[in-house]
Amino acid sequence: MSLSPRDPLVVGRVVGDVVDPFMRLISLKVAYGQRQITNGMDLRSSQVLNKPTVEIGGDDLRNFYTLVMVDPDVPSPSNPYLREYLHWLVTDIPATTGTAFGNELVCYENPCPTSGIHRVALMLFRQLGRQTVYAPQWRQRFNTREFAENYNLGLPVAAVYFNCQRENGCGGRRTS
Amino acid sequence: MLSSAKHKINHSAFSVSSSSLPNSHSQAKKNMAQVTMEEVWKEINLASLQQHRQLNIDHEPMLSSQNPNNSIFKDFLNKPLNQEPPPPPSSSSTLHRSLLPPPETVLSLNPHSINTHFDESGRFGCFGKKRGQDSDESRGDRRHRRMIKNRESAARSRARKQECIYKRVGACNISLAEGKCKTQETRRAVENGGSNSTPDKEKTSKVLDSSILRKRPNSWRREAGEHLYIISLS
């Protein structure tokens, strides 16, 4: 099903800033501890310290997927000149399994925004084959679109995002 | 401006002499330098506030008869100039009479020094201005940029709010579609393929959007909840 204009990914501008409009093809369940992530959920940095458990849907174990976790609002949503920051990259995840079965190319780094309320998006791409994706050199200035193009991943098949801010409030306004 | 200032003084004086003397003075003042006078009185008011704070004077002592010569106010008026001696007050003891001669003298003798002094005092009195002014253009640019950033931030905030609303509406729609509503009509509508309920959903969403988006978070969360509860009951 294609994304409606009321879809949280569209309203939150994840579709637009990070990826192009896509169709949801398989399920993606992300949970930090007991807390399952829904789009637009508000979390604090203490709640996202450890990597989440991710379960993906699909049918065929022979299909492999790549999970990308980025923060497009670094260092601050009003001035995101380091867009995007790569927090986690797991490849070769077989369908119907989770990230535990995949290959963690870029290890999980917990989001800890200092300024503003950041969106953190997790996107799932379908790989053409196994071991076809390589890690980038740096985490910052990551470009999900370019990354997908380079490795022939195409459009995402699933995505979810949440809002993350620092522990004691969003960090207020910094003089730019 | 001049006449209004004059009226103020007349009202504040406890003994009003209805002689024509103050009126003639005011007319003379008007003739002499009306624009300058306005500036002078404006700055006097500003500077007088400071002076009164410094000298711990409020308006009452001026009116009292303790100091029949009203030398404090006269001194204040003559202080900036330091050039001409304070004119001795005429034999009157009323406030406005003693007030009037000094300004006239001040005006007549040295208008330039008055202007320069009051420019300084004006600057001194304007606490909001920054020292070391940047150019007007960069200030305008900064303000403009700040405004744009504020607007973007507000738009992001509205988007977050909107998502939450849509989530709640979606949850309500799901519960309606699953037949968890209480009345028969709604159940029948759902059974009919949801054609009746769809426009309601749209209407509901629109109503929620427009009215609730304008409200503060706590109130709109409560209201959205109430709306959805009412809809589920109807």
Side-chain angles (χ1 to χ4, degrees):
Chain A
M1 60 210 121
S2 62
L3 297 175
S4 79
R6 292 225 170 130
D7 193 294
L9 288 168
V10 178
V11 173
R13 302 303 304 146
V14 172
V15 165
D17 291 344
V18 187
V19 290
D20 294 322
F22 63 94
M23 298 237 316
R24 281 204 179 86
L25 295 176
I26 68 171
S27 69
L28 174 66
K29 287 184 191 152
V30 181
Y32 278 96
Q34 294 303 313
R35 199 181 273 114
Q36 179 150 1
I37 302 296
T38 51
N39 278 315
M41 196 164 168
D42 277 308
L43 294 176
R44 299 285 162 134
S45 40
S46 62
Q47 295 166 322
V48 295
L49 278 178
N50 301 312
K51 65 172 89 168
T53 48
V54 179
E55 290 167 18
I56 64 177
D59 303 319
D60 199 342
L61 273 176
R62 288 169 295 179
N63 292 328
F64 296 96
Y65 295 89
T66 297
L67 180 78
V68 182
M69 179 169 168
V70 295
D71 178 350
D73 297 327
V74 283
S76 156
S78 55
N79 190 15
Y81 60 88
L82 293 177
R83 171 172 284 179
E84 310 147 11
Y85 191 89
L86 181 66
H87 282 283
W88 202 22
L89 180 63
V90 187
T91 60
D92 302 334
I93 307 168
T96 72
T97 65
T99 47
F101 296 85
N103 186 13
E104 198 178 24
L105 286 186
V106 175
C107 62
Y108 180 79
E109 186 181 311
N110 59 313
C112 71
T114 48
S115 169
I117 300 178
H118 295 215
R119 296 164 294 174
V120 180
L122 291 108
M123 287 151 295
L124 201 66
F125 293 90
R126 184 161 161 188
Q127 287 170 227
L128 289 177
R130 235 186 138 183
Q131 287 173 344
T132 53
V133 184
Y134 301 101
Q137 284 185 298
W138 299 284
R139 288 183 186 257
Q140 64 262 28
R141 296 189 197 271
F142 184 76
N143 192 320
T144 310
R145 283 188 179 101
E146 254 181 51
F147 177 78
E149 209 181 294
N150 288 341
Y151 295 107
N152 293 308
L153 296 171
L155 292 174
V157 296
V160 76
Y161 90 100
F162 59 93
N163 291 314
C164 187
Q165 55 181 298
R166 35 182 283 190
E167 210 53 45
N168 306 319
C170 71
R173 173 157 72 95
R174 302 274 187 264
T175 50
S176 53
Chain B
M1 170 76 189
L2 175 64
S3 52
S4 64
K6 279 268 145 277
H7 283 302
K8 276 181 202 167
I9 293 164
N10 285 334
H11 284 304
S12 64
F14 58 91
S15 60
V16 179
S17 66
S18 53
S19 69
S20 60
L21 186 59
N23 294 331
S24 66
H25 274 293
S26 67
Q27 280 170 14
K29 267 195 222 42
K30 270 187 201 171
N31 294 338
M32 286 176 68
Q34 193 165 3
V35 172
T36 322
M37 190 57 200
E38 285 179 347
E39 288 174 12
V40 163
W41 277 112
K42 239 191 255 178
E43 300 302 341
I44 283 173
N45 286 334
L46 258 177
S48 71
L49 288 173
Q50 297 170 31
Q51 196 73 16
H52 291 165
R53 268 183 235 125
Q54 289 169 15
L55 301 176
N56 203 12
I57 293 168
D58 57 8
H59 289 290
E60 296 310 313
M62 278 165 55
L63 302 175
S64 71
S65 53
Q66 290 172 5
N67 200 340
N69 293 334
N70 289 313
S71 59
I72 295 167
F73 189 78
K74 271 203 306 62
D75 284 345
F76 154 69
L77 277 176
N78 291 317
K79 194 180 165 187
L81 298 176
N82 293 329
Q83 278 145 1
E84 60 272 351
S90 52
S91 55
S92 72
S93 60
T94 58
L95 175 66
H96 60 278
R97 286 205 186 193
S98 60
L99 276 177
L100 297 178
E104 191 183 11
T105 324
V106 157
L107 267 180
S108 61
L109 285 182
N110 210 338
H112 293 293
S113 68
I114 298 163
N115 289 334
T116 53
H117 159 72
F118 282 117
D119 283 340
E120 288 164 13
S121 75
R123 207 173 288 163
F124 183 72
C126 293
F127 302 104
K129 280 184 193 166
K130 281 186 194 170
R131 299 286 170 157
Q133 305 277 356
D134 296 336
S135 68
D136 287 339
E137 290 171 1
S138 67
R139 247 186 298 152
D141 279 342
R142 260 186 274 133
R143 227 179 290 142
H144 187 64
R145 263 182 271 135
R146 187 68 228 139
M147 184 181 75
I148 289 172
K149 284 196 175 173
N150 269 338
R151 286 189 182 162
E152 287 170 5
S153 176
R156 281 194 296 271
S157 190
R158 278 194 299 271
R160 280 196 292 271
K161 193 189 215 183
Q162 213 164 14
E163 283 167 54
C164 202
I165 291 171
Y166 290 151
K167 222 187 288 185
R168 287 172 182 239
V169 170
C172 179
N173 290 339
I174 289 166
S175 67
L176 277 173
E178 288 172 358
K180 287 180 184 165
C181 47
K182 302 203 174 176
T183 63
Q184 271 185 347
E185 288 98 21
T186 332
R187 260 189 239 121
R188 257 186 254 130
V190 168
E191 282 162 24
N192 287 338
S195 56
N196 290 340
S197 57
T198 327
D200 287 338
K201 280 182 217 172
E202 288 301 312
K203 209 169 71 174
T204 315
S205 316
K206 280 180 191 158
V207 163
L208 282 173
D209 287 351
S210 57
S211 66
I212 283 179
L213 267 182
R214 281 196 291 272
K215 302 201 175 167
R216 292 179 154 266
N218 290 330
S219 65
W220 64 254
R221 281 196 184 108
R222 198 172 46 239
E223 269 204 42
E226 283 166 5
H227 269 282
L228 296 171
Y229 179 69
I230 289 163
I231 290 155
S232 69
L233 288 178
S234 63

